[in-house]
Amino acid sequence: MVVLDSPRLWNRLQRKLAKKVKKKTEESTSTHVKQLKNFEAKKEEIEIPEPRLNWMGITREWGVKVLPGEKGLTLGSLNVGVYGEIPTTWSDRGRNPRGAIASGARLPLAISVQDKADLWANSAATLYEEAIQRRWIPATDIPWDQLAPLPDDIEHAICQVCTELMQYANTDIEVITNWQHKMAYGYHEVKQYLATASFDGARRYEAFRKRALSNGGGLGLESTCQVNRVLLESTGGWTETVATWVFNRLLFALTICRYLERFAYNEAEIKLYQYVGQDLARILSYGIDHLHYAMNADPEKRASVGISITIGDAFLVRDLRDPVLKEALSIIFGAGINGVNKDGLDTFYEMLDTYVKEYLELCAWLKLDRKLEQMPTIFQADKRKR
Amino acid sequence: MSRAKLSFPSVEWFNAVRKEFNTDEEFHRRGAGHCNCVAGVKVGDDVFVLTFEGQECTSVEQSGELALADADFYMSMDAVDWQEMLANISKHGHAVGDYTLNTLDLNRFDGLATSVHGDQFREDMFFRFNQTLQFFFDASSRIDTRFG
C-alpha cells in the first residue's frame, strides 16, 4: 500500500490522473465526432420509415363530447353511445375498458364474476361520486381536542369497542379486495365504487385507532369474531358474500355506531360515529341495491341469498355469545360498570332489537321470506335469555 | 342572525334556513359534500318537501300528505318535538345530546325517518346524508324563530 503522506507525491499523482482523464476525453470526443461525420455522409442513404399511426383510426365510437351537468362531469354521465352499453355478460377476461377494442394477444386474467347479475347495482356510479365528494379526514375533521379524560371503566370499554370496530373495518377492506380482481372490467362502475369502499374501510380503521390511542387508553382484546371469518372465507359467489355482509355485518355495525353516537361522551366521538355511520350506510346502499338487482335478474338467487343470511346469523349469534363486546357496549350505554345492570344491558338489547327491526324491514322489501320467529332466539326479545 | 322573526313551520322559515345553509362553505365540507335526495318534513299535519341537489338545498315546497310518496324519506314529529329540537340547536349553535337527528330517530318509538314506499335503498339516504341534513337544521340556529 502507498501512503500518501508526501505533498509532492500527492501532487504528482493528481497531475498524472488529470492527464489520463484529458486523454480519454479527447479520444472519446474524437470517436463521437467521427461517428457523426460518418452519419452525415451516409444520411442520404438511410431510409427512415414514416410513422404509420395505424392505431389512430381504431375506435368503436369517436367524437364523443360529454358536457358537465349540474353535478359536474360525473362517471354515470359518460355512459353514452357504445360506452353506455352494459351487457348482461362480459366474456372478455382482459383489462379492456368498456368501449375500447380488445387486444387479441394476451393471457386471460383470473376473472370469474362476469355476469352483470352477479355484481351490478344501478347506483354504483352515483355512490362512487358520493364517496369522492363526501370524504372526510380523521386527522382534522374530528375535533380531537374535545376529548377529555373519562372514568377508567368507560375508557376501557370505548377502547375495546374501537378495537373490535377496527377489525370490522379491516375485514371490510379484505372482503372487497378478495373479490375486486375477480370482477369483469366491463362493470367498472362497481369496481370503482368498491375501490372507494375499501378506502372507506381504511379510514374507519384509522379513525377508531385514533380514538383508542388519544385519550389515555389503548387497544384491547382481539375479537374472535366469527362473522369476519365467514365473510373472508366466502368464495362461492359475490352476491352471497354481499348478503352476509349486508345483513350480518354492515347493518349490525351501523346500528352499533348509531347507538355509540347516542351515548357519545364528547363532540369528537359524536362526529366520529356520525361520519362512520354515513360511510357504512353508503356500502349498505350498494349491498341493498345489488341484492335487489341480482334477485330480480336471477330469481334463483333468492335461495342462495337466504342460505347465506342464515349461515351469517348463526355466526353472529356465536359472536354475541362472547361477552366482551356486550359488556363493553353495556358499560358505555350505562355510563360505567355500575350502570350495566341498570340501563346498560337494557340498552344493549334495545340496540339488538333495533338491528332486528331494520333487518326484517330489509328482508320484506327484498322479498326474502324471513320472520322474527325463524331467527335465533337472541334476536327475539320475548324469548332471549339475558 | 335574521332580524325578523320567522314562524316555524313555514316556507319562509325553511327558505331562510336554506339560504344560510347554501351560502356557508362550512356546511359543505367534512363528510357533507354533494347530496342528492328529496326529503320530506312533517310537522304535525304540515308537510314540506326539501330538494337537495349537489351542494345546495334547491327548493322547499309546502305540500299535502300525498307529496310524501315522492320523497326518498321523510322526518316526522309533532310540532312540540320539532320545537324542542330547534330550541336545542338555537341554544348550542348545533344539535347536541338527545336532539341530533340520529338520536331522535332512535329515541322515538316510531323513529324520526320513514317513508311511504318502504324502499330500503331510498330510506337509507337518511343515514347516507345524515351530516348534510344535520347541518341543514343546525343552520337554523342563525334564524330568529317564532313557534306557532
Side-chain angles (χ1 to χ4, degrees):
Chain A
M1 189 173 19
V2 180
V3 180
L4 296 176
D5 56 353
S6 152
R8 279 182 60 200
L9 181 58
W10 175 244
N11 286 338
R12 211 165 71 206
L13 275 172
Q14 272 198 320
R15 278 199 301 276
K16 214 171 169 182
L17 188 64
K19 266 185 187 173
K20 263 191 174 172
V21 170
K22 194 180 171 195
K23 195 180 168 196
K24 282 275 175 203
T25 309
E26 281 170 0
E27 279 173 10
S28 161
T29 309
S30 144
T31 310
H32 281 125
V33 169
K34 272 182 201 164
Q35 283 175 343
L36 200 61
K37 279 179 181 169
N38 282 342
F39 176 76
E40 285 294 328
K42 290 183 179 172
K43 208 164 94 177
E44 298 301 314
E45 299 164 25
I46 298 171
E47 194 179 319
I48 301 171
E50 285 293 316
R52 289 192 294 168
L53 303 179
N54 53 353
W55 52 270
M56 268 197 174
I58 302 175
T59 176
R60 290 187 61 211
E61 187 170 336
W62 191 250
V64 181
K65 194 173 181 181
V66 178
L67 299 174
E70 283 181 1
K71 297 167 192 168
L73 190 61
T74 60
L75 184 67
S77 69
L78 303 178
N79 283 344
V80 294
V82 298
Y83 304 100
E85 290 171 6
I86 308 167
T88 51
T89 298
W90 186 263
S91 54
D92 188 331
R93 287 173 64 202
R95 282 204 180 82
N96 182 27
R98 194 174 70 225
I101 293 165
S103 156
R106 41 84 197 268
L107 290 170
L109 300 171
I111 289 171
S112 56
V113 184
Q114 294 177 276
D115 286 344
K116 191 178 178 187
D118 290 340
L119 81 169
W120 188 252
N122 288 327
S123 60
T126 303
L127 293 172
Y128 170 76
E129 294 288 350
E130 196 177 303
I132 299 290
Q133 290 168 352
R134 294 179 70 81
R135 63 192 179 273
W136 55 282
I137 307 165
T140 51
D141 287 346
I142 291 175
W144 296 112
D145 58 346
Q146 298 292 308
L147 288 174
L150 289 168
D152 209 35
D153 50 352
I154 296 174
E155 185 63 29
H156 265 103
I158 291 172
C159 288
Q160 181 57 46
V161 171
C162 286
T163 306
E164 180 103 15
L165 293 175
M166 282 168 64
Q167 291 168 76
Y168 286 12
N170 218 21
T171 304
D172 291 343
I173 299 170
E174 287 169 16
V175 166
I176 296 166
T177 50
N178 273 349
W179 284 91
Q180 180 73 268
H181 64 289
K182 297 176 187 168
M183 295 175 174
Y185 277 78
Y187 307 114
H188 63 254
E189 290 90 342
V190 172
K191 287 171 77 75
Q192 282 181 255
Y193 167 64
L194 289 174
T196 68
S198 80
F199 179 81
D200 287 353
R203 182 168 52 203
R204 276 199 296 290
Y205 185 93
E206 170 201 351
F208 287 124
R209 189 172 182 85
K210 284 178 173 171
R211 168 59 191 89
L213 301 182
S214 58
N215 202 33
L219 295 180
L221 270 178
E222 179 192 359
S223 160
T224 53
C225 195
Q226 304 279 327
V227 173
N228 290 349
R229 180 165 287 274
V230 170
L231 287 169
L232 294 171
E233 291 181 358
S234 171
T235 53
W238 174 243
T239 303
E240 289 72 17
T241 305
V242 168
T244 312
W245 199 24
V246 162
F247 281 92
N248 306 113
R249 168 51 48 81
L250 296 172
L251 201 52
F252 186 63
L254 176 59
T255 310
I256 291 177
C257 285
R258 294 187 62 206
Y259 272 79
L260 285 171
E261 192 236 307
R262 180 183 175 192
F263 291 94
Y265 287 84
N266 48 65
E267 193 63 25
E269 287 173 5
I270 289 173
K271 284 291 166 198
L272 167 64
Y273 303 132
Q274 283 179 347
Y275 292 143
V276 167
Q278 288 195 139
D279 287 357
L280 288 169
R282 192 161 49 243
I283 315 179
L284 202 53
S285 280
Y286 163 76
I288 293 170
D289 203 16
H290 169 57
L291 293 175
H292 189 248
Y293 182 88
M295 291 190 291
N296 280 319
D298 181 2
E300 286 185 10
K301 275 193 181 290
R302 213 167 287 282
S304 61
V305 164
I307 293 167
S308 302
I309 298 167
T310 306
I311 293 169
D313 282 352
F315 284 95
L316 182 55
V317 170
R318 284 194 200 179
D319 286 343
L320 290 170
R321 279 194 203 125
D322 178 16
V324 178
L325 183 65
K326 180 167 76 174
E327 288 174 5
L329 285 171
S330 299
I331 290 169
I332 296 169
F333 300 156
I337 289 175
N338 291 336
V340 167
N341 288 325
K342 200 175 160 202
D343 297 318
L345 212 49
D346 286 345
T347 307
F348 174 81
Y349 285 115
E350 180 199 308
M351 183 193 82
L352 273 193
D353 293 339
T354 302
Y355 161 68
V356 172
K357 179 175 168 281
E358 302 279 346
Y359 174 120
L360 290 172
E361 281 177 4
L362 186 51
C363 283
W365 186 68
L366 289 171
K367 298 187 175 66
L368 287 166
D369 185 21
R370 206 144 182 84
K371 305 273 184 302
L372 179 63
E373 16 336 331
Q374 296 168 325
M375 295 184 75
T377 50
I378 193 168
F379 295 130
Q380 300 182 44
D382 56 344
K383 286 189 185 165
R384 76 167 61 105
K385 290 175 190 160
R386 293 167 53 130
Chain B
M1 188 176 281
S2 302
R3 285 182 188 168
K5 279 199 171 194
L6 294 171
S7 178
F8 176 86
S10 66
V11 170
E12 293 72 29
W13 185 89
F14 278 109
N15 274 329
V17 175
R18 196 163 69 85
K19 193 177 166 193
E20 293 292 333
F21 172 79
N22 288 348
T23 52
D24 189 338
E25 192 58 30
E26 278 300 300
F27 295 133
H28 310 294
R29 297 169 50 238
R30 295 173 288 138
H34 284 212
C35 166
N36 298 293
C37 68
V38 177
V41 175
K42 193 161 179 271
V43 184
D45 293 329
D46 295 324
V47 171
F48 299 85
V49 176
L50 281 59
T51 303
F52 290 87
E53 289 175 298
Q55 299 228 3
E56 294 186 343
C57 176
T58 51
S59 72
V60 174
E61 285 173 21
Q62 184 158 18
S63 303
E65 188 107 1
L66 285 175
L68 293 175
D70 295 329
D72 291 310
F73 59 89
Y74 68 93
M75 294 165 276
S76 174
M77 289 197 289
D78 291 338
V80 67
D81 294 331
W82 282 107
Q83 187 173 332
E84 274 184 28
M85 182 193 91
L86 295 174
N88 176 273
I89 289 170
S90 176
K91 184 177 174 187
H92 300 282
H94 61 276
V96 299
D98 289 342
Y99 296 97
T100 65
L101 296 175
N102 171 56
T103 301
L104 285 166
D105 190 55
L106 288 174
N107 282 353
R108 301 172 59 76
F109 183 74
D110 290 326
L112 168 68
T114 185
S115 76
V116 173
H117 42 68
D119 182 327
Q120 297 296 294
F121 177 82
R122 293 171 73 187
E123 281 190 17
D124 192 46
M125 290 182 188
F126 172 71
F127 302 111
R128 263 164 60 194
F129 299 129
N130 185 268
Q131 278 296 288
T132 298
L133 299 166
Q134 190 64 66
F135 282 150
F136 181 85
F137 284 105
D138 285 352
S140 72
S141 67
R142 302 172 187 179
I143 308 297
D144 208 354
T145 302
R146 173 164 43 91
F147 296 101

